[in-house]
Each structure stands twice: as structure tokens, then as C-alpha cells.
Amino acid sequence: MAQVLIFGLGAEWYAIEICRVREVVLADTLHPVPRAPAALLGAVNFHGSVVPVLDLGAWLGFARGARDARIIVLEGEALSLALAVDRIHRIFAPAAEDFFPCADADVATDCIGAHFLWRGEVVNLLDVDRLIASLGFLASGGTFFREGDSRQSHQEAIQGGQACP
């Protein structure tokens, strides 16, 4: 396994493969998106592109707490999305033997691809593809569209370069 970025939601630790992270930036100005779901905090100007910001904790059912001032901008040409999390911790390279599969099967764990141990604690490895699928929409060029719209299907977007090598 390559490196992961470890971050916190509530009292739990999560991680995302570093190849799925484009950049971690300060979200100094969030612009509201009219009629957006409550978990969509707004949008930011990211190097001249409009990128929607998802409150990952709210989407996964965590109680609202203090959020890190930084956001995680996901990598991808067909998808523009940033994640707001409670705290961003560090980059880590877990060993293959640290991983174990998910045994849970409830809604909150649908976006978890695996678990691994870090400093004696369980870290949930976020499956970005499943997260995107759970959103039911994609963001492209700052414009949301629902899966099934004529522009592009979710699978096409994922196959268009979103998967880690």
C-alpha cells in the first residue's frame, strides 16, 4: 500500500490514499450553493475552478463538530470535489500486514474499503469511488449533475482516470 493521508471525524480516524488527494488547502471563503444538500458546505475557488466542498462527517452521519480550516481537494479531471473533515493529521505509509477487511455492512461503512492499525488504533480507509457513488451526483467544471444525465455517467468518470495505480 502506498501512503495515506490520515484525518479525523469525531473520535474516529480515517484515511484516504494519497494518490486520490490533489492538495490540502485552506478553505478561507466558502460560497453557498443554493438548494444544495445540507452536507454540501458550499464551493471554493481552487486555482480558478469552482470546487464543491462536502462535509464528510455530516455525510457519514457524525455530529457536527469543529472542522479543520483546511480541506482535502480530491484528484481527478472528471470530478471536482473537496472534503471538509474535523482534523487533518499526517501522511503515513501503512504496512500490508496492518490491513484487515471490513466486517461491517451498514450505511455508515459503505464508503470504507478497509481498515488498518495505526498506533494501536483502527483507521478506516475511505473508498473514494464508493463515496462518489453514494453522493448520487458528480461535479464537473463546478457544475453538478446527477448520475444518468446525458453529460457523463459515474462509471465513465471513474474510469477516466480516478483510480489509483
Side-chain angles (χ1 to χ4, degrees):
M1 162 67 53
Q3 295 179 323
V4 298
L5 173 64
I6 296 176
F7 58 91
L9 295 174
E12 296 184 20
W13 291 109
Y14 282 76
I16 187 171
E17 293 176 87
I18 203 73
C19 64
R20 303 305 297 257
V21 175
R22 182 167 183 188
E23 200 169 326
V24 175
V25 297
L26 281 174
D28 50 357
T29 304
L30 278 171
H31 302 280
V33 176
R35 294 186 279 174
L40 189 62
L41 296 174
V44 295
N45 180 344
F46 178 70
H47 303 300
S49 297
V50 176
V51 175
V53 178
L54 177 71
D55 182 341
L56 184 60
W59 187 256
L60 296 178
F62 285 85
R64 186 173 180 161
R67 281 192 298 267
D68 199 295
R70 300 166 291 176
I71 56 174
I72 303 168
V73 180
L74 298 180
E75 180 64 44
E77 292 178 18
L79 170 69
S80 297
L81 182 67
L83 303 175
V85 298
D86 295 352
R87 57 199 177 280
I88 296 174
H89 189 63
R90 63 176 290 196
I91 294 174
F92 177 70
E97 61 268 16
D98 293 336
F99 283 87
F100 57 96
C102 294
D104 304 322
D106 62 31
V107 174
T109 60
D110 279 351
C111 298
I112 307 304
H115 305 290
F116 64 89
L117 292 176
W118 171 66
R119 298 188 318 191
E121 297 187 60
V122 173
V123 178
N124 305 302
L125 182 63
L126 188 68
D127 184 319
V128 173
D129 295 331
R130 282 196 247 166
L131 171 66
I132 292 167
S134 75
L135 296 174
F137 64 84
L138 294 176
S140 177
T143 304
F144 291 101
F145 58 96
R146 296 202 168 276
E147 187 173 352
D149 282 357
S150 60
R151 291 209 227 161
Q152 186 175 20
S153 75
H154 171 70
Q155 283 301 328
E156 289 170 332
I158 291 173
Q159 293 168 356
Q162 299 299 312
C164 289

